[in-house]
Amino acid sequence: MKFPSIFAGLIATTALAGAASAQTELSLWYHGAGSANAEEALVNQVVEEFNASQSDFTVVIETFPQLAYNDAVGAAALAGKLPDILDVDGPVMPNWAWAGYMQPLGIDNAKLEGFLPGTIGRWNGEVYSVGLWDAAVAMMARKSVLEANIIRIPTLDAPWTREEFDAALVTLKNTGDFDYPLDLSMAWTGEWYPYAFSPFLQSFGGDIVDREGYQAAEGALNSDAALDFGDWWQGLFANDFAPGTSQDAADRETGFLEGKYALSWNGNWAALPVVEKFGDDALFLPAPDFGNGPVIGGASWQFGVSATTEHPDGARQFIEFAIQPKYLTAFSDGTGLIPSTAAAAVGTANYSDGGPLEVFYALSENQARLRPVTPGYIVQAKVFEKALADIANGADVADTLDAAADEIGEDIENNQGYGHN
């Protein structure tokens, strides 16, 4: 008779349906919809492999264009519809934690040992997020150009001093071989300004905000050191050492490769084309030391757990899965970004011993400093950007920095100090 086998098949089908329905769905929001590189594909790969690795949870990813992402999260928070797992830019994370969008990550600290400082998001003594990569900025140059102009090639242990760097700009300008001696990628706006340029201010001895309590910008953004920085910054454009805020976007992308600029202050994401173009002539140099040590920016996009998720254990389980060394290596190979750990770097094509971008790992490890770790950063970054753009365009340095410090101070006061302990 066929009946027993049909009956058994129905039982099996029912059991499978029950198992599938028992899986809990976790939503993941990601900022890189339409990414030109492999990042989005790699995030999807991690999601697929996590889903296949266990039977308790199914992660469903929703992607957003980066420029619209933060607004989408803010709107979802107001509507009480946050996802389970959030993608968050490192310097923005304290604001989301303070605003109640996120909860402490809850991952065993032992699992985060060896991670670059910029890949761990902390707020008020708690870890809230962790990143699968970091990014670093270097002074890109050509060995042949520096040697031909008798300019010392700096090292991590002996970076250019302010005097050396300023003299190098004069020397390179006087050759007449370049449109400008230095490219600062001024065609970029937004987060590029605090990420790429506030380290110069910090090396001068100033800062966007007083990090002793994060309660004022007075005495930090308009200090004597900051005024010195502002005068120097304005001089870069007044003396035609660098293109200003009207820089053409195409020149930002290819100007250094085409020989329009002798030096380029740019990130490791732009380094591989330089290696491909110039080979062993390519140099990635540390930040100059303007008097208080060389500094570059740290922290990039990270994963965290939303405050409203009903399944924090599942969200943490996914994040722990994602930070396996094999994925850190894969993200680095796919995107050119810096792997989060030295152990992962060993397996990469670019950051392993002798790799073409190995120096960027050392720069991130030794020179990177986080942007202000405060919920107020999202306002402070915009104020800083406007101030630097205005100064580059000829605004009075002291008046501009005083006004920026006042604006930041008023915002901190209006938000009752942003909850700093």
Side-chain angles (χ1 to χ4, degrees):
M1 294 177 61
K2 299 288 187 181
F3 182 79
S5 60
I6 294 174
F7 184 68
L10 288 171
I11 292 174
T13 302
T14 302
L16 287 171
S21 65
Q23 284 189 309
T24 299
E25 186 173 293
L26 300 174
S27 53
L28 163 63
W29 282 10
Y30 167 68
H31 76 278
S35 300
N37 55 37
E39 183 181 322
E40 184 177 0
L42 286 163
V43 171
N44 278 289
Q45 178 186 337
V46 174
V47 168
E48 291 170 6
E49 294 183 5
F50 172 75
N51 290 344
S53 72
Q54 44 73 53
S55 58
D56 294 327
F57 301 101
T58 298
V59 172
V60 177
I61 185 171
E62 184 174 357
T63 61
F64 298 79
Q66 181 170 332
L67 292 178
Y69 179 75
N70 287 354
D71 288 341
V73 171
L78 288 174
K81 296 181 179 180
L82 285 169
D84 299 289
I85 305 163
L86 281 166
D87 187 23
V88 58
D89 198 5
V92 172
M93 182 278 297
N95 183 274
W96 289 7
W98 168 76
Y101 298 0
M102 300 176 68
Q103 62 179 279
L105 192 56
I107 288 179
D108 185 348
N109 284 335
K111 296 181 178 180
L112 302 179
E113 287 184 7
F115 276 68
L116 287 170
T119 65
I120 305 296
R122 290 185 171 87
W123 163 244
N124 271 352
E126 297 269 13
V127 174
Y128 277 81
S129 54
V130 58
L132 279 62
W133 63 85
D134 206 350
V137 176
M139 193 67 69
M140 299 183 182
R142 295 178 61 186
K143 184 178 180 181
S144 59
V145 170
L146 298 187
E147 289 181 341
N149 289 283
I150 318 176
I151 296 171
R152 181 178 72 86
I153 297 175
T155 64
L156 193 62
D157 293 330
W160 279 324
T161 64
R162 174 183 176 179
E163 291 74 18
E164 284 182 297
F165 182 58
D166 288 349
L169 295 180
V170 172
T171 297
L172 292 167
K173 179 182 177 181
N174 288 342
T175 66
D177 295 337
F178 310 97
D179 292 357
Y180 295 93
L182 174 64
D183 170 34
L184 293 166
S185 294
M186 293 291 284
W188 274 325
T189 57
E191 192 59 29
W192 177 244
Y193 271 67
Y195 175 67
F197 306 143
S198 68
F200 293 155
L201 168 63
Q202 291 158 9
S203 186
F204 268 83
D207 211 333
I208 294 175
V209 65
D210 184 352
R211 300 198 189 204
E212 189 65 41
Y214 289 100
Q215 296 302 292
E218 184 72 27
L221 186 52
N222 60 351
S223 63
D224 289 343
L227 293 173
D228 192 15
F229 159 75
D231 288 336
W232 173 84
W233 175 256
Q234 191 168 72
L236 293 177
F237 311 102
N239 295 312
D240 290 328
F241 289 142
T245 57
S246 60
Q247 181 191 31
D248 185 84
D251 285 343
R252 180 204 69 212
E253 292 294 328
T254 62
F256 178 69
L257 297 173
E258 294 172 353
K260 293 183 178 181
Y261 310 126
L263 304 171
S264 179
W265 183 240
N266 209 332
N268 58 288
W269 57 85
L272 283 176
V274 175
V275 174
E276 292 167 1
K277 174 81 173 182
F278 301 122
D280 292 340
D281 197 30
L283 294 173
F284 304 114
L285 307 175
D289 181 351
F290 293 103
N292 288 269
V295 183
I296 62 173
S300 191
W301 288 84
Q302 302 166 1
F303 286 128
V305 180
S306 80
T308 57
T309 178
E310 296 179 357
H311 310 287
D313 291 343
R316 280 192 287 270
Q317 187 175 325
F318 169 76
I319 295 172
E320 288 183 2
F321 182 88
I323 62 174
Q324 292 180 78
K326 66 178 182 179
Y327 293 124
L328 305 182
T329 298
F331 269 93
S332 178
D333 284 342
T335 65
L337 296 170
I338 300 170
S340 297
T341 68
V346 170
T348 65
N350 297 315
Y351 296 92
S352 57
D353 188 23
L357 306 185
E358 178 188 9
V359 64
F360 282 98
Y361 191 93
L363 291 173
S364 185
E365 187 174 37
N366 291 280
Q367 291 192 341
R369 186 181 300 178
L370 298 178
R371 281 152 280 179
V373 185
T374 174
Y377 173 77
I378 63 171
V379 172
Q380 295 160 16
K382 293 176 180 178
V383 173
F384 179 77
E385 177 191 3
K386 184 179 185 304
L388 256 64
D390 288 348
I391 291 171
N393 290 326
D396 182 83
V397 172
D399 289 347
T400 302
L401 293 180
D402 279 340
D406 288 344
E407 186 174 352
I408 290 172
E410 289 171 6
D411 176 69
I412 294 171
E413 184 177 351
N414 290 340
N415 286 278
Q416 292 77 50
Y418 281 112
H420 282 277
N421 291 334

